[in-house]
Amino acid sequence: MAFSAGQSYAISTAFDPLNQSFRATKPQTAPFFPKKIASRKYDQKANVMSKKPLCISAVSGFGGIIEPKDSKTRDPLSQCNAYEASRPQSIPIGIDLDREAQAETAQKIKIGVYFATWWALNVVFNIYNKKVLNAFPFPWLTSTLSLAAGSLMMLVSWATRVADTPKTDLHFWKALFPVAVAHTIGHVAATVSMSKVAVSFTHIIKSGEPAFSVLVSSFLLGETFPLPVYLSLLPIIGGCSLAAVTELNFNLTGFMGAMVSNVAFVFRNIFSKQGMKGRSVGGMNYYACLSMLSLLILTPFAIAVEGPQVWALGWQKAVSQIGPNFVWWVVAQSVFYHLYNQVSYMSLNEISPLTFSIGNTMKRISVIVSSIIIFHTPVQPVNALGAAIAILGTFLYSQAKQ
């Protein structure tokens, strides 16, 4: 329906609920305008923007609501008037979408906080761990103290009800045992490596863990992977090899420690997937139980390999050289080791494995760069190139695996 300049915006529409149709009545005529004004052409764009919306008044019987046929007072016609609104009327929509967007933003912020905390704690742990090992080269005791500190912290948290006590049974501990064995071997091997070589070199070699994961899964479990996964192993293996060959302070024990740690953590992941599937314990409590069982496994071996007498002499020498700060270093590396692992397991409950793998890759980059800066580790350009290629391969592997 078109409106001329001489008509008002009010229209009257008759609606017959029985016939379900509209009948437009004659529009009311506004006061006579001069012919010049009535025939003037208006700018349509400006006119549309200046018009106010038309609103339909409330009516009875509108929308096909039919009264009973025996009603004597039924009016066959219902009036529906359109009038000019005094102000624009808006209908609030998309409230649910806004809430979902807010929830998604909050989740992203939460994951970001997890990642930032995880990386920061890991960097601090590696720094203090290397300081302790430089002054006190006993990796077996250092590894034992790390697990003991975490176990004690979680026992206190459960006793004070800061954290919920996990519900476990004998079957849970049996399934956890092979995971704890692999975790213990990997933890000690990595500590032995860092006691012999630079922190950056250990983490460059440990970035080759995906290669061991594919090899073990293929040959022992019979799993097959897409071609891009196998191709992503080439830069990992090539980068690690280049970094090892060009390492200025290369040490075979340190290199083999990092390699054994890779293999052990691969088996830890495999045992965890197979034995712990469907278990109700997860996240922080899962890692707490893992630390306690690993502590029980490691303690007798640490005593047998190094022994209290050697520890006492080494401790006395370290305190005499460093002073009271050495005690703080030991406490810090033990506490931060548990905290960074606890946060990583908590974040794994919130994100996908792909996101976790990417976060782990970025964590290694932050540790390598920070350790080189703090300990003034000499790095050759070729060595840095090898590290970059290996880390890039790890990232490509995480992308191809999904």
Side-chain angles (χ1 to χ4, degrees):
M1 181 179 293
F3 296 98
S4 65
Q7 293 178 331
S8 69
Y9 288 142
I11 65 172
S12 180
T13 305
F15 176 74
D16 190 344
L18 296 178
N19 296 328
Q20 300 287 306
S21 60
F22 287 96
R23 291 186 302 164
T25 61
K26 183 178 180 181
Q28 298 176 357
T29 305
F32 175 77
F33 285 162
K35 189 172 183 181
K36 285 186 178 181
I37 298 178
S39 60
R40 184 178 300 171
K41 296 183 179 179
Y42 292 91
D43 186 356
Q44 292 298 325
K45 292 184 180 179
N47 195 23
V48 170
M49 294 300 293
S50 63
K51 288 182 180 179
K52 296 181 179 179
L54 297 179
C55 299
I56 300 176
S57 62
V59 296
S60 60
F62 188 74
I65 301 177
I66 306 175
E67 298 179 2
K69 295 182 180 180
D70 57 351
S71 176
K72 298 180 180 179
T73 60
R74 181 182 62 82
D75 186 0
L77 299 179
S78 297
Q79 293 296 119
C80 172
N81 295 324
Y83 62 94
E84 185 178 11
S86 58
R87 66 182 66 179
Q89 303 292 325
S90 61
I91 302 175
I93 60 174
I95 297 177
D96 292 338
L97 295 178
D98 291 341
R99 290 176 180 174
E100 290 179 1
Q102 292 176 359
E104 184 177 353
T105 303
Q107 181 67 10
K108 290 181 179 179
I109 295 175
K110 184 179 180 180
I111 294 173
V113 172
Y114 271 137
F115 274 3
T117 307
W118 177 23
W119 297 341
L121 293 174
N122 190 265
V123 169
V124 174
F125 158 72
N126 280 277
I127 292 172
Y128 280 110
N129 188 49
K130 185 58 179 177
K131 286 185 174 183
V132 170
L133 292 173
N134 287 339
F136 186 73
F138 298 97
W140 288 79
L141 177 59
T142 304
S143 302
T144 305
L145 293 177
S146 301
L147 297 175
S151 301
L152 179 61
M153 291 169 60
M154 289 308 302
L155 288 174
V156 173
S157 299
W158 292 338
T160 56
R161 296 186 177 181
V162 174
D164 296 332
T165 305
K167 297 180 181 180
T168 61
D169 52 18
L170 183 59
H171 296 288
F172 170 81
W173 293 104
K174 286 183 178 180
L176 187 64
F177 182 77
V179 182
V181 172
H183 178 75
T184 303
I185 295 174
H187 176 42
V188 174
T191 309
V192 170
S193 175
M194 281 190 281
S195 68
K196 299 295 183 179
V197 296
V199 176
S200 57
F201 180 71
T202 299
H203 279 274
I204 290 172
I205 302 303
K206 284 180 65 63
S207 65
E209 182 178 329
F212 290 93
S213 178
V214 173
L215 293 177
V216 171
S217 299
S218 298
F219 288 102
L220 296 184
L221 302 180
E223 295 184 11
T224 57
F225 300 91
L227 180 60
V229 173
Y230 293 107
L231 294 178
S232 67
L233 300 182
L234 297 179
I236 295 177
I237 298 174
C240 289
S241 301
L242 182 61
V245 170
T246 58
E247 175 65 24
L248 295 177
N249 299 317
F250 180 82
N251 181 279
L252 183 59
T253 303
F255 174 76
M256 292 304 299
M259 297 288 283
V260 171
S261 177
N262 283 337
V263 176
F265 284 144
V266 167
F267 278 100
R268 180 192 64 178
N269 296 336
I270 293 175
F271 293 148
S272 182
K273 289 179 180 178
Q274 292 180 347
M276 304 308 297
K277 184 179 296 184
R279 304 288 178 178
S280 59
V281 180
M284 178 174 59
N285 284 336
Y286 176 80
Y287 181 72
C289 295
L290 181 62
S291 297
M292 293 177 186
L293 190 54
S294 296
L295 176 63
L296 295 177
I297 297 171
L298 177 60
T299 301
F301 287 95
I303 295 174
V305 174
E306 294 175 347
Q309 294 181 350
V310 178
W311 293 339
L313 293 176
W315 186 275
Q316 184 178 2
K317 181 181 178 181
V319 172
S320 63
Q321 292 179 348
I322 307 299
N325 286 337
F326 174 73
V327 179
W328 158 248
W329 292 356
V330 174
V331 173
Q333 73 92 22
S334 302
V335 172
F336 281 110
Y337 172 78
H338 175 79
L339 290 179
Y340 101 76
N341 278 286
Q342 176 179 303
V343 172
S344 69
Y345 273 82
M346 292 170 63
S347 63
L348 187 57
N349 281 354
E350 301 289 337
I351 60 179
S352 64
L354 173 61
T355 306
F356 185 85
S357 298
I358 296 174
N360 196 38
T361 303
M362 300 302 296
K363 178 205 71 174
R364 295 207 186 281
I365 295 176
S366 61
V367 171
I368 291 172
V369 173
S370 61
S371 64
I372 290 175
I373 295 174
I374 293 174
F375 294 109
H376 304 286
T377 306
V379 179
Q380 292 182 342
V382 180
N383 186 261
L385 177 62
I389 294 174
I391 293 174
L392 175 61
T394 304
F395 175 77
L396 295 176
Y397 167 82
S398 64
Q399 296 290 322
K401 188 72 181 296
Q402 301 301 314

